[in-house]
Amino acid sequence: MTSFLDPFIAFVSAHAWLAYLTLFLAALLEAVPVVGSVVPGSTIILALSALVPGGELKLQWVLLAAVIGAVLGDGSAYWIGHRQQRDILNTWPLTNYPRLVEESESFFHRFGTWAVFFARFVPPIRAFVPVTAGALGMAPAKFYAINIPAILVWAPAHVLPGVLAVSALHEYAGLHHHGHVGKHIWILTVIAVAIVLGAAVWLVRRRNGGGVVEAKPPV
């Protein structure tokens, strides 16, 4: 993974439009059932956000690309589920992932409308909850009332750790050349991911009274 992303990030740093497009697609694909469970969207977003302190990318456009991608991705998945109802959950390729479908349903039933908010921070069911919410009949107004605020929290939570960490690294070590900073991106990415996932798990467990979401066995 690192051997692929390192040269890719170095390339997009010289082509800002491609970096913003990549951010948009990474956020969008994270919301696509099945695809979102395997595409390292969060890693890509965190890695590209590390280019902001060096001036290769602008923070406001990074956040906007991530937000728009996530809104369109979640919204598209929701409307597919809303139109096809429960039939979509018994359709390929979801039938190849019965455990994740069951976990998503269990998560949704346990937390209700708030499942849409919490799922934004809990991979891999993040890619399954929007379509499940639509399939289970959640009203569009309720979905967007929870989903959009969740995305507005999720985007900075993924982007700012990389930005702040690399900014601090610049100040501490005086590293202003992108080639030097690139050696530290992956350590910073791991730390940022751990912080985000840790916060998400804490929120879910707090909401659940310390319990763990249990999936029903596939029928």
Side-chain angles (χ1 to χ4, degrees):
M1 181 73 69
T2 301
S3 61
F4 166 75
L5 285 180
D6 275 338
F8 177 73
I9 291 171
F11 176 75
V12 299
S13 67
H15 302 80
W17 68 269
L18 182 57
Y20 297 130
L21 176 61
T22 300
L23 284 161
F24 167 80
L25 292 175
L28 187 149
L29 291 176
E30 273 205 329
V32 177
V34 180
V35 176
S37 63
V38 296
V39 170
S42 295
T43 301
I44 293 172
I45 292 170
L46 282 164
L48 289 176
S49 71
L51 299 177
V52 172
E56 292 94 338
L57 301 179
K58 301 298 183 182
L59 178 59
Q60 64 269 29
W61 298 117
V62 168
L63 289 171
L64 184 63
V67 167
I68 293 176
V71 168
L72 291 179
D74 282 0
S76 298
Y78 166 79
W79 281 106
I80 290 174
H82 187 69
R83 288 175 63 88
Q84 299 191 26
Q85 299 298 302
R86 289 194 63 91
D87 290 343
I88 189 64
L89 301 180
N90 299 312
T91 303
W92 182 88
L94 296 185
T95 51
N96 291 339
Y97 298 85
R99 181 180 176 184
L100 284 174
V101 172
E102 289 289 341
E103 287 180 352
S104 298
E105 286 198 60
S106 177
F107 194 83
F108 186 80
H109 286 308
R110 184 178 296 274
F111 295 104
T113 56
W114 283 103
V116 175
F117 186 96
F118 293 133
R120 256 282 127 200
F121 304 88
V122 184
I125 64 170
R126 170 170 52 216
F128 289 81
V129 166
V131 69
T132 300
L136 297 182
M138 185 176 184
K142 285 187 177 180
F143 175 80
Y144 285 110
I146 299 296
N147 179 246
I148 291 178
I151 290 172
L152 293 178
V153 173
W154 166 86
H158 277 64
V159 170
L160 294 182
V163 174
L164 295 175
V166 174
S167 295
L169 183 63
H170 280 182
E171 293 183 8
Y172 176 76
L175 300 177
H176 298 287
H177 189 274
H178 174 67
H180 293 162
V181 176
K183 297 177 182 178
H184 302 272
I185 285 179
W186 298 107
I187 296 175
L188 296 172
T189 298
V190 170
I191 293 173
V193 169
I195 292 173
V196 172
L197 293 182
V201 171
W202 180 82
L203 284 172
V204 171
R205 288 184 174 178
R206 181 180 177 85
R207 174 74 176 179
N208 194 29
V212 178
V213 177
E214 299 180 357
K216 301 176 184 178
V219 178

